[in-house]
Every structure is written in structure tokens, then in C-alpha cells.
């Protein structure tokens, strides 16, 4: 490798997806994985802001001028490169460019055996940091030199898992679970593989995909995260995901807050932790202004992350700031018109504003894009009920009842349909089912507009008080002999 002349330290970097020059396109996971691994490694450095994978992945497969990309991402340096294979060897070529003047800050390449990739990634990360920051502390050198696993087979399985997980469809996330399990089988001490496994279950059991019942997803996620932290308590990703689980499912808010703060102390630039801290913890506490601000902080750190950006709009919806929510959703759709969350979240806002035709069109678009997820259909049924199309609402309810024998259907959203139909008794019956099943939507019961018509009913206050008692005491029911509350710090 070689470096340009000495210059002032550069404090921000984007590592664009390495180009896959393999003849076998099934190896695309490998070039993506190398890029994401280097991002995760370098983002540990407190004096270097590294753009998250979810942001830089938008440049994948595009011919981009590094200076243009750097200006779009507001960073001082951009790393580009490619991965090639010849015979039994692997060749990596990389170049780092100063966004201000286009000069080369550093460039290099190496040819090695695929089994040496873990050493090469560490070497490249160290050289990048030296060229940008000029010197590292002893502790920072140790951080960069740490490898999550020495088992190349486990590493490849992990990369395949993250590659599938990033696609965010029901089918791909379930494939990711199998890959993460293979990684753990190959190396039972691979903490990041346990985090990957947990994140897959969290996605399947949460708002976005919601095809697995929370009681089948969250306990598995928590078990994997506790194991990850037993192996390595310094993993910010594990603390953030555990906080998500403790809040969203266990309603153990004191422990959830501690875990979020621990994650942010370990990795202040971790966009996902800021996003979840606002979206899950602060919003559930009714602190919506703080929730929006925290989610926006996550968006600043990861500006092209579609879930973060779209969920800011949902928080604005919960705060009844509908005009601002529409502005946020418009920004998201400018980035990607196929992102399903934005369509159904914007449609919820249309519905709340009485713009039913636009809401119906939005939910129908979400159904088209959502694959096996039934969530947009549940949401559409409520809009039909509100706008007087009760026959269509009832027909959809019958269809959802049948589907519930095959896949997860949110009881909270079923309650919202009955509320729109004016059937309060059935609405409260389904809210009780939501409580018993730990439906994630229930965490926003105190602020969600869809239950406004139920708030004057004594049963609503009884439910709020019951859920509040569980949250305050850090308690949760016993399921299959496992106490699911008070696991961390209590």
C-alpha cells in the first residue's frame, strides 16, 4: 500500500460496497460482507464517523464518482474497491479518496487464500485508520485487531446470514436464521452470530414483517442475546437488541432503558440504537418529542436507512404532527418507492386525516409489495370500516381469521378494526388477546390514535393500568417455565 502526503486527520468515512468481480454471482454475499465487516470494525473508533452499511448499500451496483458520493453522504473520505478470484486465490483492491480535492489518501491491494480473509480485513482496517487519524491508542489497536471468530466457515455462514437478513422479506429472514445457526455450530463462541440470530427473530416477530407470533420469536431472540453477552459484554449491537426485546416484549422498561444507554455508551455512533431508543422506549413512555429527536439523531448517522427514516414519520403520526409526517414519508419515497413500511405508515396517516381513498391506495400498494406479511391487509380492513365500506371490512376480517390459522395476525390491529366498526366489546376482547400474546403494537397504547374512540371506556383504563403495573414492576408471565421479565440488571 502507499499513502499520499501528510495531511490533517479526516474524521468521517464512507466505505462503498466492494464490487463483486467473481464469475460466480452467488458470491455476492462475500463482497458485501467484507464491506460491512470493515464498517463495523472501524465504527468502533470514537474519533471516526463511519457511514452505516444500510446507507452505503444504496450505492451497490452503481458506477459512482467517489467525490460525488462523499458530498451526498457528507463525509471527508470515501473508500472504493473490488474483490476478484483467480484460481484458488482472492484479490482485493481498494482506494481511499479525499472528497475535498479528489486526491488519493491511500491505496492498496493484496492476493491471498480465502482462508486468510480475516487477517486481511484486520490489516486493511488498521491501515485505513492510521492514514485517516494518523495515530491510534493502544486500546484502539486492540479493538481493531480483535476478530469476532477465527473460524472461516463460521464467518462465511454469518456473512450469508446478514446478506439474507438485509433483504427483509419473510423468506430471506428465515434463510438467515439457518445460516446464523450454521455459524454457531461451526463456532459456538461467535457472539455476532448469536446477535444475527436474535435480530432475525426480532424482525419476524415485530412490526415490519410480523409473520411469527411474538411468543415464538422474542424469547428465542432474548436467549441468543444473553448468550452473546456472556461471550462478549462489549457488543453494543447485542445490548441494543436486548433492549428492544426487553421493552417490546417483556415490558421491562427499566432494564430496557439501561441496555439502550449501555449500547450508546459503547458505540455512540450506532444509528440503530438511537433509532430504537426513540422508537421503542421514549415513544412508549409518551415522550414523543424526545422520541422524534432521538430517531432523527439515528437518521443523521445513517441518512439512507429506510426503516429509520420511515419510522420518524410514524413517530410524528403518533405525536399527531401529520403534516410533518407526510413530509417525512415523501422524503423516504424519493429515496425508494418500493419500501413497504413507508406505504403503510403513510396510509395510516392518510386514514387519520380522513383521506380514505389515499389511505386505501397506500395499503393496496403495501399489500402488493409485502410478500407474505398480512399486516397491510389488517390495516386496510380498518379503513374500509371507517369510510363506510363495512361489507368489504367484514370480508377482509373473515379472510384474516382464516389466515390466522396459518400465520401470525396482530390481535391489536384486529381490535382497531372492531373499534372502527363501533363494536367496543369485540375490540376489548381482541385487546385482551393482544395483552396475553404480547403484541408489540400494545407498547403505544397510551398514544396511538387508532384507539382514541376507546379511551373513555373504563376497560381501556383498566388495561392501561394492568400493562403499566407489569412495566413498573419489571414483571411478565411465565411461559414454558421461563421467566421473561427482569433478566438484565434486576
Amino acid at each position: 500500500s502507499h499513502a499520499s502526503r501528510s495531511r490533517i486527520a479526516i474524521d468521517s468515512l464512507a466505505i462503498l460496497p466492494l464490487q463483486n468481480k467473481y464469475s460466480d454471482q452467488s458470491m455476492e454475499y462475500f463482497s458485501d460482507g467484507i464491506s460491512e465487516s470493515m464498517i463495523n470494525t472501524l465504527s468502533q473508533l470514537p474519533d471516526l464517523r463511519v457511514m452505516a452499511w444500510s446507507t452505503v448499500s444504496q450505492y451497490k451496483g452503481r458506477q459512482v464518482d467517489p467525490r460525488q458520493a462523499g458530498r451526498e453522504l457528507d463525509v471527508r473520505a470515501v473508500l472504493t474497491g473490488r474483490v476478484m478470484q483467480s484460481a484458488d486465490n482472492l484479490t482485493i483492491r481498494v482506494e481511499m479518496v479525499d472528497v475535498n480535492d479528489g486526491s488519493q489518501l491511500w491505496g492498496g491491494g493484496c492476493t491471498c487464500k480465502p482462508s486468510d480473509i480475516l487477517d486481511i480485513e484486520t490489516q486493511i482496517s488498521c491501515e485505513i485508520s492510521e492514514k485517516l487519524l494518523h495515530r491510534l491508542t493502544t486500546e484502539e489497536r486492540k479493538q481493531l485487531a480483535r476478530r469476532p471468530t477465527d473460524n472461516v466457515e463460521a464467518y462465511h455462514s454469518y456473512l450469508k446470514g446478514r446478506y439474507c437478513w438485509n433483504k427483509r422479506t419473510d423468506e430471506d429472514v428465515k434463510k438467515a436464521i439457518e445460516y446464523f445457526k450454521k455459524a454457531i455450530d461451526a463456532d459456538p463462541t461467535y457472539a455476532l452470530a448469536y446477535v444475527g440470530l436474535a435480530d432475525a427473530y426480532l424482525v419476524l416477530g415485530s412490526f415490519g414483517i410480523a409473520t411469527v407470533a411474538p411468543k415464538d420469536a422474542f424469547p428465542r431472540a432474548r436467549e441468543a442475546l444473553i448468550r452473546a453477552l456472556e461471550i462478549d459484554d462489549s457488543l453494543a449491537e447485542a445490548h441494543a437488541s436486548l433492549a428492544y426485546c426487553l421493552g417490546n416484549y417483556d415490558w421491562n422498561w427499566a432494564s430496557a432503558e439501561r441496555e439502550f444507554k449501555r449500547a450508546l455508551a459503547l458505540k455512540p455512533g450506532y444509528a440503530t440504537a438511537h433509532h430504537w431508543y426513540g422508537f421503542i422506549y421514549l415513544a412508549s413512555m409518551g415522550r414523543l418529542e424526545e422520541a422524534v429527536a432521538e430517531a432523527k439523531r439515528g437518521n443523521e448517522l445513517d441518512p439512507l436507512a429506510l426503516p429509520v427514516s420511515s419510522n420518524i414519520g410514524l413517530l410524528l403520526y403518533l405525536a399527531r404532527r401529520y403534516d410533518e409526517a407526510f413530509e417525512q414519508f415523501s422524503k423516504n419515497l424519493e429515496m425508494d418507492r418500493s419500501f413497504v413500511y413507508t406505504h403503510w405508515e403513510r396510509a395510516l396517516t392518510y386514514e387519520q386525516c380522513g383521506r380514505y381513498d389515499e389511505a386505501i391506495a397506500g395499503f393496496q400498494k403495501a399489500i402488493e409489495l409485502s410478500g407474505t406479511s398480512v399486516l397491510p391487509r389488517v390495516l386496510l380492513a380498518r379503513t374500509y370500516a371507517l369510510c363506510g365500506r363495512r361489507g368489504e371490512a367484514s370480508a377482509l376480517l373473515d379472510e384474516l381469521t382464516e389466515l390466522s390459522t396459518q400465520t401470525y395476525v396482530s390481535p391489536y390491529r384486529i381490535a382497531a378494526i372492531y373499534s372502527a366498526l363501533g363494536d367496543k366489546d369485540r375490540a376489548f376482547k381482541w385487546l385482551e388477546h393482544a395483552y396475553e400474546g404480547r403484541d408489540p403494537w400494545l407498547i403505544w397504547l397510551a398514544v396511538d390514535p387508532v384507539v382514541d374512540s376507546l379511551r373513555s371506556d373504563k376497560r381501556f383504563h383498566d388495561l392501561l393500568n394492568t400493562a403499566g403495573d407489569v412495566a413498573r414492576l419489571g414483571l411478565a408471565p411465565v411461559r414454558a417455565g421461563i421467566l421473561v421479565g427482569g433478566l438484565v440488571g434486576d
Side-chain angles (χ1 to χ4, degrees):
S1 65
H2 58 277
S4 64
R5 63 190 181 280
S6 178
R7 59 186 68 230
I8 61 170
I10 289 179
D11 61 358
S12 54
L13 170 69
I15 300 175
L16 300 189
L18 299 183
Q19 297 178 35
N20 174 30
K21 296 298 183 180
Y22 276 85
S23 56
D24 181 1
Q25 289 303 304
S26 67
M27 290 297 289
E28 189 175 352
Y29 80 88
F30 189 52
S31 53
D32 284 1
I34 294 172
S35 307
E36 189 172 1
S37 293
M38 288 195 294
I39 289 169
N40 290 336
T41 298
L42 289 168
S43 64
Q44 299 176 79
L45 299 174
D47 296 326
L48 183 63
R49 178 170 62 90
V50 184
M51 301 310 295
W53 169 252
S54 52
T55 283
V56 298
S57 64
Q58 310 295 319
Y59 292 89
K60 183 178 172 180
R62 293 165 49 186
Q63 291 294 326
V64 181
D65 176 358
R67 295 184 69 188
Q68 177 187 342
R71 287 190 289 267
E72 290 172 354
L73 298 173
D74 191 26
V75 293
R76 279 290 312 279
V78 171
L79 184 84
T80 60
R82 58 191 183 276
V83 182
M84 300 166 284
Q85 187 176 31
S86 57
D88 295 328
N89 291 324
L90 176 70
T91 299
I92 301 176
R93 298 284 179 191
V94 290
E95 179 184 56
M96 188 161 57
V97 173
D98 188 324
V99 172
N100 282 353
D101 59 17
S103 63
Q104 186 190 63
L105 290 167
W106 176 76
C110 65
T111 299
C112 64
K113 298 292 184 185
S115 58
D116 296 328
I117 185 59
L118 294 166
D119 292 323
I120 297 303
E121 281 183 11
T122 301
Q123 178 186 332
I124 293 174
S125 296
C126 287
E127 293 205 34
I128 290 170
S129 56
E130 290 284 5
K131 301 311 175 194
L132 293 181
L133 303 175
H134 294 307
R135 68 177 185 274
L136 298 173
T137 67
T138 301
E139 184 56 36
E140 287 169 343
R141 287 182 182 279
K142 287 180 180 178
Q143 279 184 308
L144 293 179
R146 287 177 61 192
R147 296 202 311 218
T149 183
D150 290 317
N151 187 303
V152 175
E153 178 188 350
Y155 178 67
H156 276 269
S157 293
Y158 173 79
L159 294 185
K160 289 176 183 177
R162 279 298 179 192
Y163 180 76
C164 292
W165 185 81
N166 281 324
K167 292 187 176 182
R168 289 297 205 286
T169 69
D170 179 56
E171 296 85 354
D172 284 305
V173 174
K174 286 177 179 175
K175 283 184 194 173
I177 287 174
E178 297 311 310
Y179 283 124
F180 290 133
K181 287 180 177 178
K182 286 181 181 178
I184 291 167
D185 288 342
D187 180 0
T189 64
Y190 194 176
L192 276 178
Y194 288 98
V195 177
L197 180 63
D199 287 348
Y201 283 123
L202 291 180
V203 167
L204 291 175
S206 295
F207 312 97
I209 296 177
T211 56
V212 175
K215 65 183 177 62
D216 295 325
F218 281 86
R220 294 178 183 178
R222 185 180 358 85
E223 181 182 2
L225 291 165
I226 290 172
R227 178 63 184 130
L229 291 169
E230 286 173 351
I231 297 166
D232 184 356
D233 187 56
S234 69
L235 274 179
E237 294 84 352
H239 286 284
S241 294
L242 183 57
Y244 185 102
C245 187
L246 287 166
N248 223 12
Y249 181 76
D250 295 344
W251 302 343
N252 188 339
W253 294 110
S255 293
E257 183 181 28
R258 283 197 295 273
E259 290 299 300
F260 275 129
K261 290 184 174 180
R262 173 71 169 147
L264 290 169
L266 288 167
K267 200 172 181 179
Y270 186 28
T272 299
H274 286 282
H275 169 213
W276 285 348
Y277 182 49
F279 189 62
I280 301 300
Y281 179 76
L282 293 172
S284 70
M285 296 292 106
R287 295 158 58 182
L288 290 171
E289 300 302 314
E290 294 174 74
V292 171
E294 192 68 24
K296 286 184 174 180
R297 173 60 178 151
N299 197 216
E300 289 169 6
L301 292 164
D302 197 356
L304 299 185
L306 295 168
V308 179
S309 179
S310 192
N311 284 340
I312 291 172
L314 188 62
L315 287 171
L316 290 165
Y317 156 83
L318 292 174
R320 275 69 166 176
R321 292 159 59 179
Y322 302 126
D323 289 343
E324 293 173 70
F326 285 129
E327 289 177 14
Q328 187 67 34
F329 295 135
S330 294
K331 291 177 185 176
N332 232 42
L333 290 171
E334 286 173 9
M335 290 192 285
D336 188 343
R337 299 202 66 82
S338 66
F339 187 62
V340 65
Y341 289 24
T342 309
H343 287 283
W344 64 255
E345 289 178 344
R346 185 174 68 161
L348 275 176
T349 312
Y350 280 136
E351 177 192 271
Q352 194 59 29
C353 294
R355 296 163 64 175
Y356 298 127
D357 288 344
E358 289 159 295
I360 289 168
F363 289 134
Q364 288 173 337
K365 183 63 176 178
I367 290 168
E368 176 189 326
L369 295 169
S370 63
T372 55
S373 175
V374 299
L375 176 63
R377 278 178 270 182
V378 185
L379 301 177
L380 175 61
R382 174 178 165 82
T383 307
Y384 281 154
L386 287 170
C387 71
R389 295 164 64 171
R390 298 174 69 91
E392 288 163 282
S394 296
L396 250 181
L397 263 174
D398 291 341
E399 178 188 333
L400 292 165
T401 301
E402 176 65 27
L403 280 170
S404 68
T405 63
Q406 307 161 34
T407 189
Y408 179 70
V409 178
S410 164
Y412 181 93
R413 302 312 310 190
I414 297 289
I417 299 169
Y418 281 115
S419 172
L421 289 168
D423 190 338
K424 288 189 175 183
D425 290 339
R426 285 189 178 177
F428 279 108
K429 174 187 173 184
W430 281 96
L431 282 177
E432 288 172 10
H433 291 328
Y435 173 81
E436 292 164 1
R438 283 304 204 258
D439 190 318
W441 285 97
L442 207 61
I443 67 170
W444 295 323
L445 185 67
V447 294
D448 192 347
V450 303
V451 291
D452 281 353
S453 65
L454 304 176
R455 293 187 188 281
S456 61
D457 194 296
K458 180 181 181 297
R459 289 171 290 182
F460 186 86
H461 294 282
D462 290 342
L463 181 60
L464 266 182
N465 290 334
T466 301
D469 288 342
V470 170
R472 280 191 295 273
L473 297 174
L475 301 174
V478 173
R479 299 181 185 278
I482 301 172
L483 179 65
V484 301
L487 282 168
V488 178
D490 288 346

